[in-house]
Amino acid sequence: MTPRLLVAGVGNIFLADDAFGPEVIRALEHRPLPPEARVHDYGIRGMDLAYALLDGYPTALLIDAARRGHPPGTLTLIEAEPPDGTVPPEAHGMDPAKVLALATHLGDEPLPRVLVLACEPEVLPSDDDLLPGLSAPVRAAVDRAVDALHSLVPALLADPAGPLPPLGRPVESGTPRPAALRGTAPGGAQNR
């Protein structure tokens, strides 16, 4: 069966809560998603993720730690804006905005709809301070993220451009944004 949705864990396992994405992917080994979803841990390999975004998926769902101003462990579902040319592409590293810019630079087609299931970190050390292991609130959010994915993925497989299902608290949804879907001009995507 050909996967129709990309679920990508991103983050550095040696930088405390930045390991949230890889930990969620690891937890999915015990509670797998439908086979139409390709689940992969990209870690800090931004170039690999950029190329994967060009593989024809209608939708990509990134799992990451991101500061959004909420209590640690809060999950946020946001829809990424298509790159507008103001963020320079970067082939090394895993800044999601720069990965999207790189994918846009590498490909001729619009990117898939990109959603981010983000977890508010408690501890994010600098690249110079290695600190493996998640903080307690982010560790507790891993199972909630797996539950959220089991709600989100079937809905996205049924309708890649459709509205997102309610995920309950403590999940908050960001402002919906247009996304460039395959076959749709980036400026002509419809608001959801």
Side-chain angles (χ1 to χ4, degrees), residues 21-124:
E23 285 296 322
V24 170
I25 299 302
R26 194 167 70 124
L28 286 169
E29 292 174 7
H30 304 289
R31 291 180 55 201
L33 293 171
E36 299 90 355
R38 177 178 181 229
V39 177
H40 191 77
D41 175 12
Y42 287 91
I44 57 173
R45 297 181 318 276
M47 178 72 84
D48 292 346
L49 177 57
Y51 277 114
L53 290 169
L54 299 173
D55 281 345
Y57 300 102
T59 312
L61 184 53
L62 310 183
I63 316 301
D64 196 9
R67 293 200 188 275
R68 308 228 357 114
H70 300 289
T74 300
L75 296 177
T76 306
L77 181 63
I78 56 175
E79 187 156 355
E81 292 185 30
D84 61 5
T86 61
V87 176
E90 182 181 299
H92 304 288
M94 184 50 95
D95 177 327
K98 291 180 180 180
V99 170
L100 293 176
L102 178 61
T104 300
H105 179 74
L106 293 172
D108 295 329
E109 295 290 322
L111 295 181
R113 178 184 192 188
V114 178
L115 303 169
V116 181
L117 181 59
C119 182
E120 185 75 30
E122 182 175 59
V123 179
L124 276 182

Side-chain angles (χ1 to χ4, degrees), residues 3 15 27 47 52 63 70 82-84 89 91 102 107-109 131 145 150 155-156 162 167 169 173 184:
L15 297 180
M47 178 72 84
I63 316 301
H70 300 289
D84 61 5
L102 178 61
D108 295 329
E109 295 290 322
L131 184 61
H150 278 276
L156 291 170
L167 300 176
R169 293 288 171 198
S173 295
T184 304

